[in-house]
Every structure is written in structure tokens, then in C-alpha cells.
Amino acid sequence: MTEGGFEREPVALDARITSDGSTAWPVEAGRYRLVVARACPWAHRSVIVRRLLGLDPAISMGIAGPLHDERSWRFHLDPDCKDPVLGIEYLGEAYRAADPDFDAGVTVPAMVEVSSGKVATNGFQQLTLDFSTQWTAHHRPGAPDLYPQAHRDEIDEVIASFYEDVNNGVYKCGFASTQEAYEKAYGELFGRLDALSERLADRRYLVGDTITEADIRLWVTLVRFDAAYHGHFKCNRQKLAEMPVLWAYARDLFQTPGFGDTTDFVQIKQHYYGVHHTINPSGVVPLGPDVRPWLDPHGREALGGRPFGDGTPPGEPVEGERVPSIS
């Protein structure tokens, strides 16, 4: 690794929740609570997949606020600053319930067993794939196939192509502590975004003609780009709004049920600008950018494609999970 480069720590509780009883954590409706934060892209993709597949009756959702400290993500937006189901103030309490000696990173998303209050898994890379493949008995009628068998190899390959350079790449830029590390990450980030622009110039989605896991994983980074990464993380060759193909692609998905209606730009900015004190010591949160252009026509329908394949759009967000709308 280049000196001064950012390296993401591996998750510590990466067990899987499976349908066949092959792991310690079986699929069971009502047993787990998905803890997320609106600000976090890794958590956001689990929110999107849960909503598209209609898993909300089977998996409840707790939402940590955008601010946290050394004690971990905190439920500071809930009454009495406690999650109403788990009864905890800090997510770290659920990690220590699973392992009293836990001293690694407390991350979202995390699946917490409601009865014991223990984190079952924070394996963010596998979690959404398991929502698609292990929780099928609890999918809603008309749930889309986000990880179709015929395209899995290509989906995995595409995801792998942009994970380090884009999903993780924005963090490599933002947390680089040397000029050399920053410039290396910056070049890799925009080189990959240019390649993705070429790929998406004549196709509506990354793989096949429907929305897949690959689109969800790329999009959660794109939707935060101008609000946080362009300025806060110094990813400033161009704004997303100045990259025509990716900007249209991102707007197309934003206007698709499950994407824009799970996005909270206010909490995104509150988190990035309010928590990373080494980058933004003042904690001042910018008022911009104007988010209304996310609703502008995108023209991507001309490329064809069927957003949900043979499935249907999800219904309205459930009460208590709505985000502020753009007006």
C-alpha cells in the first residue's frame, strides 16, 4: 500500500444468516433487526434491497442517527435516544452483547437478534446477496431478481471492478494522509468512473436489462458524490452533475422506487461534515448543493430495459421509514 493510504478494516462479525441451517443464524421472520444509518452507503444498499424485495415485514429496521463518537453509532433521533425495539443507546452495546471483549469497528449495517440483543452479522459485502438468495421465502409477490443466476458471474466481476476504485476509492481520497496516496486514489477513482461512463453510454443498467445488485452498489456512492465526496473528500475533478452519462444514470435510479425515497441528503451531509473532525475541524455543514435537479428528466428510457424485470415496483415506504422528499 502507498504510504499514507487508507485501508478499510475487515468486519469482525461476518457470520451469515442462511435458509438451510448451515450456519448458527437461521433465516426466521421477526428474529432480526437490521440496524442502519441513512448517511452510510454500505447501510444504504441494505435499505434499498430490503425495500425492493419487500422484506420489511420479516426484518424490522432500526435507524441510527447521522452523528456518532468514539462509542459508536447512536440512536440519537429516537425518543430517549434509544432504539425502540432493542432498547440500546449505542450500537456498540449489541456488539459487546455478542462479544464482551469486542474492540473492532462498530459498523452499519448490522443484523441484530432481537431476543438476545446480539449482533449476528455485520458482513456488509454478503448481507444484501443473502437477502436476495436466502430470504426468498419472505420476498413480496413481484419482488425483482436482483442477483439473477444467469448473470451472477458478470455481476460479481463488475462489482469487483469498482469496489476498490469507487466505493472504497472516495474514502481513499478523503482519508489519504500523503499527497502521493491521495493522487494515486484520485487517478484510480476518476479512471474507473470514466470506464463506467463508457459502459453505461449505450446500456441502461450495468448488467443485463434490469436493475441488479451491481447497480445498487455503484449508485449509493454516486448519490453521495456531489453532497459529500466532491468537496469533503477532495474528489473534485468533476461533480457527478458534470459527468453526463453517470449523472443521467444516477437520476434514472433516483427516480425509481426504492432509491430516491430511501435517500436523506440532510443526514448524509450531517454525518460526513459533522463526524470527520480531522478533515472538517469546524463541523460546519454546507447548505448546498441544490438537490432539486435529481428530479430532472434523464432520458434513459430510450435505452430500453425493464427496471424490475418480470417483477413490480415496491409499494410506498412503511410508516416511520419515510425520508424527506425533494420539493
Side-chain angles (χ1 to χ4, degrees):
M1 184 179 72
T2 304
E3 183 180 355
F6 167 75
E7 187 171 1
R8 185 170 297 280
E9 295 182 3
V11 296
L13 301 173
D14 59 353
R16 292 179 61 195
I17 299 172
T18 56
S19 60
D20 62 4
S22 61
T23 63
W25 302 104
V27 166
E28 183 180 330
R31 181 167 178 171
Y32 308 98
R33 185 162 175 81
L34 173 64
V35 177
V36 302
R38 295 288 189 194
C40 172
W42 319 108
H44 193 180
R45 68 196 200 190
S46 69
V47 175
I48 294 170
V49 173
R50 171 182 174 269
R51 175 147 151 65
L52 294 182
L53 298 179
L55 287 172
D56 40 287
I59 305 171
S60 67
M61 188 167 75
I63 304 173
L67 302 177
H68 61 69
D69 56 28
E70 69 280 356
R71 289 169 290 183
S72 78
W73 292 95
R74 183 182 179 219
F75 298 96
H76 62 89
L77 300 181
D78 285 310
D80 300 321
C81 294
K82 290 186 177 182
D83 179 85
V85 173
L86 300 174
I88 57 176
E89 183 177 359
Y90 288 92
L91 179 56
E93 297 173 52
Y95 278 79
R96 289 187 292 276
D99 177 2
D101 298 321
F102 185 86
D103 63 357
V106 174
T107 61
V108 287
M111 289 281 275
V112 181
E113 184 181 41
V114 174
S115 62
S116 67
K118 298 178 179 180
V119 171
T121 182
N122 71 334
F124 69 98
Q125 296 286 47
Q126 186 64 41
L127 182 61
T128 49
L129 299 179
D130 285 343
F131 280 177
S132 284
T133 61
Q134 304 299 309
W135 288 82
T136 54
H138 302 284
H139 289 181
R140 65 177 175 87
D145 188 351
L146 302 174
Y147 195 48
Q149 185 72 51
H151 293 295
R152 286 184 187 177
D153 288 347
E154 186 179 3
I155 291 170
D156 292 345
E157 180 182 352
V158 171
I159 287 172
S161 76
F162 63 71
Y163 169 71
E164 280 296 342
D165 296 342
V166 179
N167 295 145
N168 209 32
V170 291
Y171 290 87
K172 290 179 178 180
C173 288
F175 292 125
S177 60
T178 66
Q179 189 70 29
E180 181 185 6
Y182 164 69
E183 291 184 8
K184 182 176 186 294
Y186 178 100
E188 291 169 346
L189 167 65
F190 283 100
R192 184 64 61 187
L193 290 176
D194 289 343
L196 289 164
S197 291
E198 291 181 14
R199 182 183 182 92
L200 289 163
D202 58 1
R203 57 194 302 164
R204 192 170 179 186
Y205 305 112
L206 283 168
V207 179
D209 67 346
T210 65
I211 293 168
T212 69
E213 178 83 16
D215 297 293
I216 295 166
R217 293 196 184 200
L218 176 60
W219 186 82
V220 293
T221 296
L222 296 182
V223 79
R224 287 162 172 75
F225 204 89
D226 290 0
Y229 305 143
H230 178 271
H232 185 59
F233 279 174
K234 300 182 283 291
C235 301
N236 60 356
R237 189 191 78 177
Q238 291 163 286
K239 296 177 181 177
L240 177 68
E242 295 166 346
M243 294 181 265
V245 172
L246 291 179
W247 176 223
Y249 166 79
R251 295 202 314 280
D252 185 4
L253 289 174
F254 185 90
Q255 296 169 32
T256 300
F259 289 82
D261 57 19
T262 59
T263 302
D264 190 320
F265 286 111
V266 172
Q267 290 195 29
I268 288 170
K269 292 190 295 183
Q270 287 174 337
H271 170 71
Y272 283 97
Y273 287 94
V275 168
H276 300 148
H277 300 300
T278 58
I279 301 175
N280 186 40
S282 70
V284 172
V285 179
L287 294 177
D290 185 358
V291 296
R292 289 174 295 181
W294 279 96
L295 299 180
D296 289 350
H298 51 75
R300 299 277 294 179
E301 307 94 334
L303 296 174
R306 303 173 300 145
F308 300 103
D310 295 329
T312 58
E316 291 295 313
V318 301
E319 194 64 34
E321 296 183 8
R322 300 178 187 276
V323 299
S325 59
I326 294 176
S327 57

